[in-house]
Amino acid sequence: MEPRVWSMALAGLLHDIGKFAQRAGVRGSRIWDEQAKRDYGYYHALLSEDCVQQFVPPPWLDEIKNLVGSHHRSDDRAQRILALADHLSAGERADPTDDTSAAQPRQLLSIFCSLKGSVAEVFWPLAPLALNEQVLFPARAWDERQVERRYSEMWAEFTGEMRRLRQAHEPGGDLVVYLESLLWLLQRYTWCIPSAYYKARPDISLYDHGRMTAALAAVLADVSLSDEGLRELLYRPQESEQPLALLVGGDLSGVQDFIYTITAKGATSALRGRSFYLQLLTDALARYILRRLELPITNLIYAGGGHFYLLARANDVERLASIQKEISRILLRYHHGELYTALASCPLQGKDFFGGRISGAWAKMSARLQLAKQRRFSELEAELRTLFTPQGHGGNEEAECQVCGREDRRTKVEEEVRKCPACSSYESLGDSLRQARYLIFEEAPLDDAPPPSASMTEGTEAWGTVLRAFGLAVKVAADQVPEPEKAAQVAFALSDEAWGGLRPGPRTAVGRRFLVNVTPIITDQEIRELRRRKVPALPAAGSIKPFHVMEAQSEGIARLGVLRMDVDNLGELFSDGLKEKATLSRVAALSFAISLYFEGWVEELAARRNRQDAAQPHRGERLYSIYSGGDDLFFVGSWDAVVELAREIRADLSRYAAGHPDVHASAGIALVGGKYPLYQAAQEALEAEDMAKSLQWLD
């Protein structure tokens, strides 16, 4: 890696942290006189430098301090790059932020209030990010006294975490690990703090503005401009046709068939495991590309729902083409053409960051991505022939997996069902999620290509073989996270409670991962009741509840409900919803807000309903999350529980989105028997969802 790139990203993350300090009433290290104004330009720049001086570990302190403190009075090349990244991120020519005579503590305006259309203004509460109704839902603005108190309290909590992070890296330190820990720490505390409000619309959080500034600073670190050209660009970026960055999109296709075309045999655990594996694969792919491009985690705009978006250098197009081949080669080797990842990009000129033009660039990239999906594996040549050649001699029933239907000589009988190593491992992964508290990503070596003999290995972690080929070793843990001996790792808490048990280390970054992980477990009491009702094939207590049991526990008619749901016209919200207000930071903010609902709050709604049902012995937990992320979800459960969940998700989405009339979701539900083919039920639910979308005008 090039340390300078990571240093620029670190400076980008912290360049405006002084605004947090200022609103908390922190006093600067210098008297704010005319000389200080000439040195820093704005008071928050002085406070940002003070924060860096106090909390950034010594190995990176000197370089970062000068960059952060001077980003409004840039004198050298690195400072100008950071200032340019700041302007491009905000989509503004100048920074209309704080004048100490006018600055007052304020809250973050909901990004949904900035979409075209008129809604009442509501604001996010000032609180660390948590799955809590009082935290996640915007409301009327607080009085200034309450706002001032909360800023002070949050600053005290935040600086305590910053001290712990510094202590973890003082003995030596790893900049890559430190940067990722800092990113997630800023998400936790600055997601609800406006980056600007004086003479500016306060709808961009300090977190979103900081991470996009960091991403741009990283890609601009090696920009091919003379010092004079950079100086001119800094003053007139909105007129520049100079390519400055590359917007990159990735799309994992084949997802529907991979998840749904399995039989009912062993499907309960395998289904959740397969879905979770695809989420992990999306993460692995995004991180793989960043490692290949030698870019930091700050350059990942979003990853989830089989999609990811990132910011690369303007001249990374050829490297991306090579990376596309590497990814396709690995997926073809391990998944035999079932899964494919399409990559597409769109160059961003200076002017594209202003006047809402970023939406047009996003739409152009999305259109190119759709075209790339239609030409699966076309970038490969000789390898492509393997898709059309016989695979083995076939016709061996004893080698055929009864879950996925694929033949594998290593297929074994487990619980009277023949399972291939891959399906067995997906089932094991699904089971491991039941008690999971932490998700651990450990960096694995990158290979140029999988060996010719590569295949899914046997054992309970066969699912990890592909992820390791992309440089990511994944563990699901129910207890504490140990410090690794060599490789760097990221430990994600899967609940607010688990977050309290995480501590950063010299090789361990820590963060919060929102993951809808709702699994119905059968109890002894339920088993006794179900035996009395003569329900067959009951598993042992503590097992994941099979589909036919949830069917039997439905109210009224015994049916299983299969729910599919997503946000209506999401593409239009991104391409047209923000209009001239569209900036890179606002697009990032909108993406974060939508994912926070579907990856965070949906879990709370489903878990709450399961808790309510569990209090009644004849019901028990009756909802099973197969997937929820990005802007869509897939649930299975007792039909009446599924209907109620869909109703609650739709109602709360409106409240979460400030009541905006253009933000709503449509759902489709199929009512089937517990042994009905899942792929058919999923298709019927999708058709019902499409019908619901066609009836939007009735709302």
PDB file of all heavy atoms in Angstrom, residues 36-55:
ATOM      1  N   ALA A  36      -4.993  34.294  14.310  1.00  0.00           N
ATOM      2  CA  ALA A  36      -5.548  32.937  14.251  1.00  0.00           C
ATOM      3  C   ALA A  36      -6.481  32.796  13.053  1.00  0.00           C
ATOM      4  O   ALA A  36      -6.486  31.760  12.372  1.00  0.00           O
ATOM      5  CB  ALA A  36      -6.282  32.613  15.544  1.00  0.00           C
ATOM      6  N   LYS A  37      -7.230  33.846  12.779  1.00  0.00           N
ATOM      7  CA  LYS A  37      -8.121  33.799  11.618  1.00  0.00           C
ATOM      8  C   LYS A  37      -7.329  33.704  10.321  1.00  0.00           C
ATOM      9  O   LYS A  37      -7.735  33.002   9.386  1.00  0.00           O
ATOM     10  CB  LYS A  37      -9.027  35.036  11.583  1.00  0.00           C
ATOM     11  CG  LYS A  37     -10.070  35.060  12.689  1.00  0.00           C
ATOM     12  CD  LYS A  37     -10.923  36.322  12.618  1.00  0.00           C
ATOM     13  CE  LYS A  37     -11.941  36.345  13.750  1.00  0.00           C
ATOM     14  NZ  LYS A  37     -12.774  37.570  13.722  1.00  0.00           N
ATOM     15  N   ARG A  38      -6.201  34.405  10.256  1.00  0.00           N
ATOM     16  CA  ARG A  38      -5.365  34.314   9.065  1.00  0.00           C
ATOM     17  C   ARG A  38      -4.748  32.920   8.932  1.00  0.00           C
ATOM     18  O   ARG A  38      -4.596  32.410   7.817  1.00  0.00           O
ATOM     19  CB  ARG A  38      -4.264  35.381   9.106  1.00  0.00           C
ATOM     20  CG  ARG A  38      -4.755  36.781   8.807  1.00  0.00           C
ATOM     21  CD  ARG A  38      -3.592  37.732   8.553  1.00  0.00           C
ATOM     22  NE  ARG A  38      -2.805  37.951   9.755  1.00  0.00           N
ATOM     23  CZ  ARG A  38      -3.059  38.905  10.652  1.00  0.00           C
ATOM     24  NH1 ARG A  38      -4.087  39.729  10.468  1.00  0.00           N
ATOM     25  NH2 ARG A  38      -2.295  39.049  11.718  1.00  0.00           N
ATOM     26  N   ASP A  39      -4.425  32.300  10.067  1.00  0.00           N
ATOM     27  CA  ASP A  39      -3.777  30.982  10.039  1.00  0.00           C
ATOM     28  C   ASP A  39      -4.749  29.856   9.700  1.00  0.00           C
ATOM     29  O   ASP A  39      -4.378  28.897   9.006  1.00  0.00           O
ATOM     30  CB  ASP A  39      -3.124  30.684  11.390  1.00  0.00           C
ATOM     31  CG  ASP A  39      -1.906  31.555  11.648  1.00  0.00           C
ATOM     32  OD1 ASP A  39      -1.391  32.145  10.664  1.00  0.00           O
ATOM     33  OD2 ASP A  39      -1.477  31.645  12.810  1.00  0.00           O
ATOM     34  N   TYR A  40      -6.001  29.962  10.178  1.00  0.00           N
ATOM     35  CA  TYR A  40      -6.933  28.842  10.055  1.00  0.00           C
ATOM     36  C   TYR A  40      -8.169  29.133   9.201  1.00  0.00           C
ATOM     37  O   TYR A  40      -8.793  28.199   8.693  1.00  0.00           O
ATOM     38  CB  TYR A  40      -7.406  28.394  11.454  1.00  0.00           C
ATOM     39  CG  TYR A  40      -6.295  27.794  12.281  1.00  0.00           C
ATOM     40  CD1 TYR A  40      -5.581  28.573  13.188  1.00  0.00           C
ATOM     41  CD2 TYR A  40      -5.943  26.460  12.149  1.00  0.00           C
ATOM     42  CE1 TYR A  40      -4.551  28.039  13.950  1.00  0.00           C
ATOM     43  CE2 TYR A  40      -4.917  25.912  12.912  1.00  0.00           C
ATOM     44  CZ  TYR A  40      -4.221  26.709  13.801  1.00  0.00           C
ATOM     45  OH  TYR A  40      -3.200  26.171  14.544  1.00  0.00           O
ATOM     46  N   GLY A  41      -8.535  30.386   9.056  1.00  0.00           N
ATOM     47  CA  GLY A  41      -9.715  30.714   8.273  1.00  0.00           C
ATOM     48  C   GLY A  41     -10.996  30.603   9.063  1.00  0.00           C
ATOM     49  O   GLY A  41     -11.773  31.542   9.138  1.00  0.00           O
ATOM     50  N   TYR A  42     -11.234  29.438   9.655  1.00  0.00           N
ATOM     51  CA  TYR A  42     -12.447  29.197  10.436  1.00  0.00           C
ATOM     52  C   TYR A  42     -12.066  28.568  11.776  1.00  0.00           C
ATOM     53  O   TYR A  42     -11.088  27.814  11.875  1.00  0.00           O
ATOM     54  CB  TYR A  42     -13.415  28.278   9.695  1.00  0.00           C
ATOM     55  CG  TYR A  42     -14.009  28.891   8.438  1.00  0.00           C
ATOM     56  CD1 TYR A  42     -13.425  28.664   7.208  1.00  0.00           C
ATOM     57  CD2 TYR A  42     -15.147  29.685   8.507  1.00  0.00           C
ATOM     58  CE1 TYR A  42     -13.961  29.217   6.057  1.00  0.00           C
ATOM     59  CE2 TYR A  42     -15.694  30.249   7.363  1.00  0.00           C
ATOM     60  CZ  TYR A  42     -15.098  30.013   6.141  1.00  0.00           C
ATOM     61  OH  TYR A  42     -15.624  30.568   5.011  1.00  0.00           O
ATOM     62  N   TYR A  43     -12.874  28.878  12.763  1.00  0.00           N
ATOM     63  CA  TYR A  43     -12.596  28.394  14.124  1.00  0.00           C
ATOM     64  C   TYR A  43     -12.576  26.874  14.187  1.00  0.00           C
ATOM     65  O   TYR A  43     -11.771  26.275  14.902  1.00  0.00           O
ATOM     66  CB  TYR A  43     -13.640  28.971  15.080  1.00  0.00           C
ATOM     67  CG  TYR A  43     -13.325  28.774  16.547  1.00  0.00           C
ATOM     68  CD1 TYR A  43     -12.080  29.117  17.062  1.00  0.00           C
ATOM     69  CD2 TYR A  43     -14.287  28.277  17.414  1.00  0.00           C
ATOM     70  CE1 TYR A  43     -11.794  28.967  18.414  1.00  0.00           C
ATOM     71  CE2 TYR A  43     -14.022  28.121  18.765  1.00  0.00           C
ATOM     72  CZ  TYR A  43     -12.775  28.464  19.264  1.00  0.00           C
ATOM     73  OH  TYR A  43     -12.496  28.295  20.601  1.00  0.00           O
ATOM     74  N   HIS A  44     -13.464  26.220  13.428  1.00  0.00           N
ATOM     75  CA  HIS A  44     -13.518  24.760  13.515  1.00  0.00           C
ATOM     76  C   HIS A  44     -12.229  24.121  12.999  1.00  0.00           C
ATOM     77  O   HIS A  44     -11.884  23.007  13.400  1.00  0.00           O
ATOM     78  CB  HIS A  44     -14.730  24.203  12.753  1.00  0.00           C
ATOM     79  CG  HIS A  44     -14.562  24.166  11.262  1.00  0.00           C
ATOM     80  ND1 HIS A  44     -14.983  25.167  10.432  1.00  0.00           N
ATOM     81  CD2 HIS A  44     -13.999  23.222  10.447  1.00  0.00           C
ATOM     82  CE1 HIS A  44     -14.704  24.857   9.181  1.00  0.00           C
ATOM     83  NE2 HIS A  44     -14.091  23.679   9.160  1.00  0.00           N
ATOM     84  N   ALA A  45     -11.502  24.799  12.091  1.00  0.00           N
ATOM     85  CA  ALA A  45     -10.241  24.246  11.599  1.00  0.00           C
ATOM     86  C   ALA A  45      -9.205  24.192  12.722  1.00  0.00           C
ATOM     87  O   ALA A  45      -8.432  23.228  12.838  1.00  0.00           O
ATOM     88  CB  ALA A  45      -9.724  25.067  10.428  1.00  0.00           C
ATOM     89  N   LEU A  46      -9.169  25.225  13.563  1.00  0.00           N
ATOM     90  CA  LEU A  46      -8.292  25.203  14.739  1.00  0.00           C
ATOM     91  C   LEU A  46      -8.671  24.052  15.666  1.00  0.00           C
ATOM     92  O   LEU A  46      -7.804  23.310  16.146  1.00  0.00           O
ATOM     93  CB  LEU A  46      -8.392  26.541  15.483  1.00  0.00           C
ATOM     94  CG  LEU A  46      -7.784  26.590  16.899  1.00  0.00           C
ATOM     95  CD1 LEU A  46      -6.283  26.311  16.856  1.00  0.00           C
ATOM     96  CD2 LEU A  46      -8.080  27.924  17.572  1.00  0.00           C
ATOM     97  N   LEU A  47      -9.977  23.887  15.919  1.00  0.00           N
ATOM     98  CA  LEU A  47     -10.425  22.817  16.813  1.00  0.00           C
ATOM     99  C   LEU A  47     -10.157  21.440  16.205  1.00  0.00           C
ATOM    100  O   LEU A  47      -9.874  20.477  16.932  1.00  0.00           O
ATOM    101  CB  LEU A  47     -11.913  22.984  17.119  1.00  0.00           C
ATOM    102  CG  LEU A  47     -12.280  24.225  17.953  1.00  0.00           C
ATOM    103  CD1 LEU A  47     -13.792  24.327  18.111  1.00  0.00           C
ATOM    104  CD2 LEU A  47     -11.606  24.181  19.315  1.00  0.00           C
ATOM    105  N   SER A  48     -10.252  21.321  14.879  1.00  0.00           N
ATOM    106  CA  SER A  48      -9.919  20.049  14.224  1.00  0.00           C
ATOM    107  C   SER A  48      -8.447  19.710  14.452  1.00  0.00           C
ATOM    108  O   SER A  48      -8.097  18.567  14.752  1.00  0.00           O
ATOM    109  CB  SER A  48     -10.221  20.116  12.721  1.00  0.00           C
ATOM    110  OG  SER A  48     -11.607  20.234  12.473  1.00  0.00           O
ATOM    111  N   GLU A  49      -7.577  20.705  14.296  1.00  0.00           N
ATOM    112  CA  GLU A  49      -6.151  20.476  14.536  1.00  0.00           C
ATOM    113  C   GLU A  49      -5.909  20.098  15.997  1.00  0.00           C
ATOM    114  O   GLU A  49      -5.109  19.191  16.292  1.00  0.00           O
ATOM    115  CB  GLU A  49      -5.352  21.724  14.179  1.00  0.00           C
ATOM    116  CG  GLU A  49      -3.848  21.548  14.364  1.00  0.00           C
ATOM    117  CD  GLU A  49      -3.070  22.786  13.970  1.00  0.00           C
ATOM    118  OE1 GLU A  49      -2.941  23.026  12.755  1.00  0.00           O
ATOM    119  OE2 GLU A  49      -2.607  23.508  14.882  1.00  0.00           O
ATOM    120  N   ASP A  50      -6.596  20.761  16.927  1.00  0.00           N
ATOM    121  CA  ASP A  50      -6.462  20.419  18.349  1.00  0.00           C
ATOM    122  C   ASP A  50      -6.878  18.978  18.610  1.00  0.00           C
ATOM    123  O   ASP A  50      -6.238  18.253  19.381  1.00  0.00           O
ATOM    124  CB  ASP A  50      -7.325  21.355  19.194  1.00  0.00           C
ATOM    125  CG  ASP A  50      -6.784  22.782  19.248  1.00  0.00           C
ATOM    126  OD1 ASP A  50      -5.627  22.991  18.832  1.00  0.00           O
ATOM    127  OD2 ASP A  50      -7.528  23.671  19.703  1.00  0.00           O
ATOM    128  N   CYS A  51      -7.977  18.555  17.969  1.00  0.00           N
ATOM    129  CA  CYS A  51      -8.475  17.188  18.148  1.00  0.00           C
ATOM    130  C   CYS A  51      -7.457  16.173  17.635  1.00  0.00           C
ATOM    131  O   CYS A  51      -7.189  15.153  18.281  1.00  0.00           O
ATOM    132  CB  CYS A  51      -9.813  17.028  17.426  1.00  0.00           C
ATOM    133  SG  CYS A  51     -10.575  15.403  17.621  1.00  0.00           S
ATOM    134  N   VAL A  52      -6.898  16.453  16.476  1.00  0.00           N
ATOM    135  CA  VAL A  52      -5.875  15.566  15.916  1.00  0.00           C
ATOM    136  C   VAL A  52      -4.671  15.492  16.855  1.00  0.00           C
ATOM    137  O   VAL A  52      -4.133  14.413  17.131  1.00  0.00           O
ATOM    138  CB  VAL A  52      -5.456  16.047  14.516  1.00  0.00           C
ATOM    139  CG1 VAL A  52      -4.192  15.339  14.053  1.00  0.00           C
ATOM    140  CG2 VAL A  52      -6.584  15.826  13.522  1.00  0.00           C
ATOM    141  N   GLN A  53      -4.238  16.646  17.361  1.00  0.00           N
ATOM    142  CA  GLN A  53      -3.098  16.710  18.276  1.00  0.00           C
ATOM    143  C   GLN A  53      -3.344  15.845  19.514  1.00  0.00           C
ATOM    144  O   GLN A  53      -2.444  15.162  20.017  1.00  0.00           O
ATOM    145  CB  GLN A  53      -2.855  18.155  18.700  1.00  0.00           C
ATOM    146  CG  GLN A  53      -1.728  18.343  19.707  1.00  0.00           C
ATOM    147  CD  GLN A  53      -0.361  18.084  19.093  1.00  0.00           C
ATOM    148  OE1 GLN A  53      -0.053  18.604  18.023  1.00  0.00           O
ATOM    149  NE2 GLN A  53       0.456  17.270  19.749  1.00  0.00           N
ATOM    150  N   GLN A  54      -4.574  15.833  19.972  1.00  0.00           N
ATOM    151  CA  GLN A  54      -4.895  15.145  21.212  1.00  0.00           C
ATOM    152  C   GLN A  54      -5.164  13.652  21.029  1.00  0.00           C
ATOM    153  O   GLN A  54      -4.833  12.848  21.905  1.00  0.00           O
ATOM    154  CB  GLN A  54      -6.123  15.803  21.850  1.00  0.00           C
ATOM    155  CG  GLN A  54      -6.423  15.330  23.263  1.00  0.00           C
ATOM    156  CD  GLN A  54      -7.547  16.133  23.902  1.00  0.00           C
ATOM    157  OE1 GLN A  54      -8.101  17.049  23.274  1.00  0.00           O
ATOM    158  NE2 GLN A  54      -7.888  15.795  25.128  1.00  0.00           N
ATOM    159  N   PHE A  55      -5.720  13.262  19.870  1.00  0.00           N
ATOM    160  CA  PHE A  55      -6.238  11.901  19.763  1.00  0.00           C
ATOM    161  C   PHE A  55      -5.607  11.018  18.687  1.00  0.00           C
ATOM    162  O   PHE A  55      -5.778   9.807  18.720  1.00  0.00           O
ATOM    163  CB  PHE A  55      -7.755  11.934  19.537  1.00  0.00           C
ATOM    164  CG  PHE A  55      -8.509  12.607  20.640  1.00  0.00           C
ATOM    165  CD1 PHE A  55      -9.230  13.764  20.406  1.00  0.00           C
ATOM    166  CD2 PHE A  55      -8.484  12.092  21.931  1.00  0.00           C
ATOM    167  CE1 PHE A  55      -9.918  14.395  21.427  1.00  0.00           C
ATOM    168  CE2 PHE A  55      -9.166  12.712  22.968  1.00  0.00           C
ATOM    169  CZ  PHE A  55      -9.889  13.868  22.716  1.00  0.00           C
TER     170      PHE A  55
END
